Each structure stands twice: as C-alpha cells, then as structure tokens.
C-alpha cells in the first residue's frame, strides 16, 4: 500500500495527476480533486509520475516504505 | 544561551517530546529530523492510530470512496521516534520538564511540542447524545461508524450545524441519494466563516441538491425510541424532523484540559504562543522550551495587526509545525515567525471552495470575478480599507493573486480594473457576518484575543 495526501491549498485543479493515475485521482465537479488516500502497491510507479508531473508539487507520497517505527499494534507503553 | 554549545548538545542528544500524534505532530517530527536533530523523539497520542489525515473523513470516506482506516498520512521521511499511542498525556510539570501520562508514566523532555488539536463539541444534552444513531465527526473512528450507518441506508439524516464539516456531510449524503435535513442557527450555511452574501449562495446550492435546509432554527431536543435509537428531533420553530441518523456538527473544543494547573497559558481558547510558536505561561511570559502548533495554538499574526488568531486549517498545522521545529533548534536570532497567509479548502455539492486570508475578519465584500448567480466567483473581503481575505467558488486558480494582495496589504476595494468584473460586482457591499457576540459554529478563523491597537478597557463592577 502507498499512502498519499494532496495539499489542496496548493492544488490548482490542472488534473495532470488524474490523467496519469486515473485509479487514484479523479476530478469531482469542475475543479475539486478527489483522491484515494491509500493506493494499491501496483500504482506506485504511476503515483510517482503523477507527483512529479503536478505543476505545483501538491501530491505528497510516502517516502518511507512501511513505517518501521510504528508498531503494528500500537499500544500504550510500546517502545 | 547562544554560542555556549547547549544548542549543539540539544541537537545531538536532547529529548524532544511531541504530545498529539496527528498532522502537526508528525510534520514537526519530520522537520526536526530533516534539520538534523539526532536526539530522542517521543510521540504521545491518545488515539490508538498512527497519524492520519482528517479532511478525507467528511469527503472520500462518506462518499464510500475510501475506508476510514485507510487514511494514514504519508511519511515524508523516517522520524525514528518512540511512539506512545493510545495513552493521553494527563499533566505537565513545567519546572521538572516532565509530561505525565494517564497510565502513570512520566516522560522527561528538553523541548516539548504541544499539538493536541481540538475535538468535536458534543451534543450538550448527555442522555440524548448517547442515543444510538447520534454522531459527531472528528476522528477516524467517528467516520468509520458514520460511514457504516450511511451504508445501511437510513430513512433520513439530520445534520445539526451548517459549517464546513456539516455542509460536507450533507453533500456526501445527497450524493448517495439519502434524504437530508440540515438545521442551522445562523441565517445561512457557512455564514460564520464567509458571511451572509456568500452564505446565501451556499444555501441555494444545498437546496438545489435536494437538502431540506432550515436556517434560523435551533434543535431543542433529540428523541429516542424505546430501544434507545434516535427517531426525531424537535426544532425551536415548533416543527419535528424524523431522522434515524443525527450528526452533531457544532464546531470544536480545544484539547487543553490536561494542562490545567500547569502554569502554561492554556485554556478554552487554545494555547497562547508568540509568532514563533513558543507558548506563553499564565503570567504572559514566553517559555523557551514549550511550543504549540496546529488547531490548539493561537498566535499573533503579523498580517492581521498581531491579533491572536486560532486557525482550524490543515495548512496552518503544517506550517506551524515547521516553524516550531525550526525554532526549537535555532538560536534566538535565527528563529522564524509564522507568517503564512491562512488558506483553506472545502469541496461540497460539486463546488470547489477555497479561501485565503481571514474572510471572517472582513466587514465588506466585493465580487471581483464571476458572479454569485453562476456560483463561480471570487469574493474579496475588506476591513478598514484593506484587503483581508478572499474566497473562490470554482475559481481557485485566481487565489494566488489575492493572496499577494493580502500579503502586500493592498487597499480595499482593490484598485485593479478587472476584465471579468460584472455589473453588481463593481462596489463593495456589507459582507453580512453574524454578530460576533452570538456564537456560531462556522468560522475556522477566530479572533481569540484583543488587538494591541485596541486600548479600551471595560470595568464591570460586581453588584
Ligand atoms: C472531518 C474534517 C474535515 C476537515 N476538512 C478540512 C479541509 O477540507 N480543509 C482544511 O484546511 N482543514 C480541514 N480539516 C481541519 C484539519 O484536519 C485540522 O486543521 C488538522 O487536523 C489539525 O491538525 P492538528 O495536528 O493540529 O490537530 P488534530 O488533527 O486535531 O490532532 C490532535 C491529536 O492530539 C490528540 N490529543 C488530544 N489530547 C491529547 C492528550 N492529552 N494526549 C495525547 N494526545 C492528545 C488528539 O486525539 C489528536 O489525535 C478537517 C477536519 C475534520 C475533522
Ligand atoms: S496535478 Fe497537482 S495541481 Fe493538478 S489536480 Fe493534481 S494535485 Fe492538483
């Protein structure tokens, strides 16, 4: 799984991302962007392309594989 | 002390503790590591989840396009932290520099970042709030529970409060074909954040999309059936709405109770801090080891006469987190002020709504581009002869221009002759904000202190 977020303050709705990774990004109405906050591993390459193509660098993609520092079951007192 | 090596020591082997493991907390942790902090980092969060993103909770999740437990924030770099999740911080000892946890543990720090955010204001009547089918929406768990209930196809959804979150919920429900009633105390949706002129456009949008919108009314009571499920709501105009799902969307309360008695300048309005995110103590003296960022912070903003602002904005949490992280690791002369122009977005009823600056501080509005009738426009807000905010409905591309006007304290009405300005958009009109002494749940920018320019004092003798 790849996690992502879009800084929608920056996003200008140019839709390059929706063109490059249509399974992850879609326009909703004329201007609003909807995205899947977690995408399938198979989307990783497309996502990287989309993030690179975004003219305002609004697409934030996981730079860390599976965060090794968070325990799977985070519990109180976990170290 | 500058130059005595203490900062170097802090960077190398210091202990930084972050309370509140969400957007501001995570982004600050990443920024600390990016700036070369090599000491120990502890992330304390009362939710049992790793940091996740909240905006999708009222949008993608309710539309059924994403699962609530699939909204974890992307990691921009490893933070190599000790995570204490599922346990709240319950106290702070400023003298001993320790955070107390609810499980009895204590965590010592050299620098502390407080990013405990806000929580949804619950329905004030406790027994009614506990009825099955009554929800608030702030956390992943709230969103998961609500999404499940919407999947089951309720007969009617009632949303109490038409701020941004309430309106987004109503929008998602309508898109799924569910019957929705929205009850709002103010004169229109979004009126607290954007004023009545823009609020009336939001009202039309809701009605056009089939929302049964009732403004100027209050919900006075929720009624349950014999099995404890909500079945109806009673309104102040005497009417009754039958609904099997009720979402209470009445704004937020700051998570500062755990700091009571600590001596830190924290209260119901948030944690007061300086423009560099350093928290004040209750004497009004700035601390040098405690910082605040995100929804819980309130700080003076240079662009708004150094008045204290509380901003419940995603972008504000991110930028304050960076400023706090930078300043923690900097000599006093290298510190940076938090100066970013506030910015916010919302998507509802197919319209992309974005704002810059602080519309809710404005008194006048001018429709500088597009038109209200077409619901595609830019509205510029003015305050005392200067541009103080702007909002765009499906016109987001123009906002950077207005941000610049705000940054440069351009005069209002704006001097440019706009190509696209329409008749009726030529002159400013009253932005029609509700009386500030009447609480609304709309604004996401709140003035939370006195202007230093305001020297009046009122003395009210006790009778
Ligand atoms: C449904 C929804 C939709 C939104 N949509 C938008 C949007 O479209 N655009 C926009 O700009 N903003 C939006 N926001 C606002 C945005 O999500 C917030 O501004 C942002 O989450 C603030 O981040 P934060 O880290 O300051 O606080 P929070 O995200 O509130 O995190 C604070 C964390 O601290 C924890 N905590 C509290 N007390 C303690 C304690 N004593 N000990 C330990 N941990 C504690 C809390 O449980 C929480 O996990 C939305 C918010 C919600 C809820
Ligand atoms: S490419 Fe960037 S600016 Fe364009 S829609 Fe996607 S995120 Fe927004």
């Amino acid at each position: 799984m790849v996690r992502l977020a879009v800084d929608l303050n920056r996003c200008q709705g140019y839709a390059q991302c929706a063109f490059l990774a249509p399974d992850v990004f879609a326009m909703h109405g004329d201007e609003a962007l909807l995205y899947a906050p977690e995408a399938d591993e198979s989307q990783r390459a497309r996502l990287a392309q989309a993030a690179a193509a975004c003219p305002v660098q609004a697409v934030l993609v996981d730079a860390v594989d599976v965060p090794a520092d968070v325990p799977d079951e985070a519990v109180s007192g976990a170290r | 002390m500058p130059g005595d090596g203490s900062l170097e020591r802090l960077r190398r082997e210091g202990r930084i503790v972050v309370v509140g493991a969400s957007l501001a907390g995570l982004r600050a942790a990443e920024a600390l590591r990016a700036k070369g902090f090599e000491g120990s980092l502890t992330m304390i969060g009362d939710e049992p989840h790793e940091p996740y993103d909240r905006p999708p909770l009222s949008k993608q999740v309710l539309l059924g396009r994403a699962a609530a437990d699939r909204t974890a924030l992307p990691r921009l770099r490893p933070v190599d932290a000790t995570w204490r999740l599922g346990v709240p911080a319950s106290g702070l000892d400023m003298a001993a520099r320790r955070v107390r946890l609810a499980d009895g543990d204590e965590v010592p720090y050299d620098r502390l970042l407080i990013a405990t955010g806000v929580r949804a204001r619950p329905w004030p009547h406790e027994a009614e709030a506990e009825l099955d089918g009554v929800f608030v929406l702030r956390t992943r768990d709230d969103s998961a529970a609500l999404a499940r209930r919407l999947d089951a196809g309720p007969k009617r959804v009632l949303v109490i409060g038409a701020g941004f979150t309430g309106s987004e919920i109503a929008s998602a429900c309508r898109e799924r074909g569910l019957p929705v009633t929205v009850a709002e105390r103010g004169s229109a949706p979004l009126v607290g954040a954007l004023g009545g002129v823009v609020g009336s456009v939001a009202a039309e949008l809701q009605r056009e999309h089939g929302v049964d919108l009732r403004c100027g009314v209050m919900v006075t009571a929720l009624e349950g059936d014999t099995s404890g499920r909500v079945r109806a709501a009673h309104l102040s105009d005497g009417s009754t709405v039958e609904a099997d799902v009720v979402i209470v969307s009445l704004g937020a309360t700051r998570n500062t109770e755990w700091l009571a008695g600590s001596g830190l300048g924290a209260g119901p309005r948030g944690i007061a801090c300086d423009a560099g995110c350093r928290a004040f103590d209750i004497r009004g003296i700035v601390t040098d080891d405690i910082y605040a960022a995100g929804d819980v912070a309130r700080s003076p903003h240079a662009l708004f006469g150094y008045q204290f602002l509380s901003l419940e904005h995603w972008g504000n949490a991110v930028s304050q987190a960076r400023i706090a992280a930078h300043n923690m690791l900097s000599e006093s002369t290298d510190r940076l002020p938090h100066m970013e122009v506030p910015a916010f977005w919302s998507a509802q009823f197919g319209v992309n709504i974005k704002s810059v600056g602080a519309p809710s501080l404005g008194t006048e509005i001018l429709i500088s581009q597009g038109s209200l009738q077409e619901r595609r426009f830019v509205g510029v807000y003015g305050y005392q002869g200067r541009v103080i905010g702007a909002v765009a409905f499906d016109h987001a591309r123009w906002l950077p221009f207005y941000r610049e006007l705000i940054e440069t304290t351009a005069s209002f009405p704006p001097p440019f002759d706009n190509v696209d300005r329409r008749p009726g958009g030529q002159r400013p009109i009253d932005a029609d904000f509700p009386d500030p002494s009447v609480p609304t749940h709309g604004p996401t920018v709140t003035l939370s202190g006195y202007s230093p320019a305001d020297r009046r004092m009122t003395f009210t003798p006790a009778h």
Side-chain angles (χ1 to χ4, degrees):
Chain A
M1 284 294 173
V2 196
R3 312 112 169 280
L4 67 139
V6 178
D7 181 342
L8 290 166
N9 287 322
R10 281 169 169 255
C11 168
Q12 298 292 318
Y14 289 122
Q16 276 90 331
C17 55
F19 178 70
L20 289 165
D23 291 341
V24 181
F25 304 93
M27 299 314 286
H28 193 234
D30 285 348
E31 260 197 14
L33 177 70
L34 268 190
Y35 59 92
E38 216 177 82
D40 226 52
E41 197 56 45
S42 62
Q43 294 289 325
R44 195 179 278 274
R46 284 168 183 273
L47 256 175
Q49 273 185 311
C54 173
V56 289
Q57 302 287 294
V59 181
L60 308 168
V61 185
D62 252 347
V64 181
D65 264 358
V66 172
D69 51 7
V70 177
D72 267 356
E73 258 172 66
V75 286
S76 152
R79 294 241 141 210
Chain B
M1 248 133 286
D4 67 355
S6 59
L7 201 55
E8 243 341 280
R9 236 179 354 263
L10 174 72
R11 280 172 174 277
R12 232 179 23 247
E13 56 195 40
R15 298 161 303 178
I16 297 183
V17 172
V18 176
V19 183
S22 180
L23 180 62
L26 176 64
R27 290 296 176 248
E30 289 169 345
L32 287 166
R33 291 300 188 205
K35 287 179 189 305
F37 174 63
E38 293 168 2
S40 79
L41 192 54
T42 307
M43 308 288 293
I44 300 168
D46 62 355
E47 294 186 76
H49 313 296
E50 60 175 304
Y52 61 85
D53 211 17
R54 294 179 203 275
L57 300 181
S58 54
K59 306 176 183 76
Q60 291 94 316
V61 173
L62 298 187
L63 286 170
R65 299 206 187 184
D69 60 358
R70 295 284 164 101
T71 54
L73 281 161
R75 299 303 188 82
L76 307 182
R77 58 178 301 121
V79 291
D80 185 22
T82 299
W83 295 81
R84 306 291 304 265
L85 300 178
V87 56
S90 57
L92 169 66
D93 185 336
M94 289 173 62
R97 291 186 165 175
R98 283 168 172 276
V99 173
R100 266 192 307 282
L101 303 188
D103 64 7
D105 244 5
E106 296 205 339
V107 187
Y109 64 82
D110 298 306
R111 294 288 183 279
L112 173 66
L113 175 68
I114 302 177
T116 45
V118 303
R119 63 180 181 278
R121 188 171 290 142
W123 182 244
H125 190 296
E126 218 172 297
E128 292 175 11
E130 268 159 30
L131 288 170
D132 184 33
V134 177
F135 296 88
V136 293
L137 180 54
R138 178 75 198 173
T139 67
R140 166 187 281 193
D141 298 349
D142 294 338
S143 180
L146 177 57
R148 226 174 297 125
R149 196 58 71 96
L150 297 183
D151 283 344
K155 287 206 243 356
R156 177 166 292 275
V157 176
L158 169 65
V159 180
I160 308 178
F164 282 107
T165 305
S167 300
E168 287 178 5
I169 295 169
S171 168
C173 289
R174 285 307 303 141
E175 201 165 325
R176 302 179 57 156
L178 300 171
V180 181
T181 297
V182 172
E184 163 61 42
R185 175 171 45 188
S187 59
L190 312 184
V191 70
L194 300 174
V197 174
V198 176
S200 65
V201 179
E204 279 168 29
L205 267 177
Q206 295 214 359
R207 295 207 165 101
E208 230 165 65
H209 283 83
V211 173
D212 166 31
L213 174 67
R214 321 247 185 126
C215 294
V217 293
M218 289 192 343
V219 173
T220 52
L222 299 178
E223 188 189 315
D225 62 16
T226 44
S227 53
R229 267 189 236 134
V230 69
R231 58 166 295 271
H234 299 283
L235 273 51
S236 56
D237 61 2
S239 63
T240 301
V241 175
E242 286 187 20
D244 41 357
V245 170
V246 173
I247 300 137
V248 178
S249 195
L250 296 175
T253 307
R254 316 233 155 223
N255 292 319
T256 53
E257 291 81 357
W258 67 282
L259 295 163
S262 65
L264 200 69
R269 292 188 300 171
I271 300 171
C273 52
D274 73 1
C277 296
R278 292 183 301 172
F280 285 107
D281 68 16
I282 46 170
R283 304 167 301 169
I285 297 176
V286 78
T287 60
D288 215 20
D289 50 354
I290 305 179
Y291 290 72
D295 283 10
V296 78
R298 62 191 195 93
S299 62
H301 201 300
L303 282 174
F304 307 100
Y306 288 99
Q307 300 185 81
F308 277 84
L309 296 187
S310 304
L311 298 158
E312 290 176 48
H313 293 174
W314 192 93
N316 177 66
V318 171
S319 72
Q320 283 191 324
R322 280 202 205 109
I323 293 288
H326 172 89
N327 290 347
M328 270 188 191
L329 299 178
S330 299
E331 300 289 4
S332 56
T333 47
D334 298 331
R335 291 194 178 130
L336 296 173
H338 170 62
M339 297 253 281
E340 191 159 288
V341 178
F344 181 84
W345 79 85
S346 169
Q348 48 186 275
F349 304 104
V351 175
N352 190 30
I353 302 178
K354 287 174 85 165
S355 81
V356 290
S360 59
L361 305 188
T363 50
E364 292 174 287
I365 187 171
L366 179 129
I367 305 305
S368 56
Q369 291 177 260
S371 78
L372 296 172
Q373 288 73 27
E374 290 163 23
R375 282 166 223 144
R376 296 171 58 85
F377 62 89
V378 176
V380 195
Y381 293 82
Y383 174 71
Q384 295 190 342
R386 57 166 286 210
V387 175
I388 199 146
V391 65
F393 274 46
D394 275 350
H395 251 57
R397 273 162 220 184
W398 299 98
L399 280 185
F401 169 70
Y402 292 89
R403 189 182 58 219
E404 214 174 291
L405 292 183
I406 297 164
E407 262 166 353
T408 53
T409 63
S411 63
F412 181 90
F416 56 91
D417 260 338
N418 205 290
V419 269
D420 192 26
R421 202 187 291 178
R422 313 284 174 84
Q426 304 289 359
R427 31 179 201 91
I429 51 171
D430 186 341
D432 191 22
F433 279 100
D435 177 351
S437 63
V438 180
T440 56
H441 10 89
T444 54
V445 181
T446 340
L447 253 187
S448 62
Y450 300 101
S451 157
D454 185 359
R455 301 216 179 123
R456 276 169 307 157
M457 271 181 45
T458 355
F459 175 61
T460 319
H463 300 294

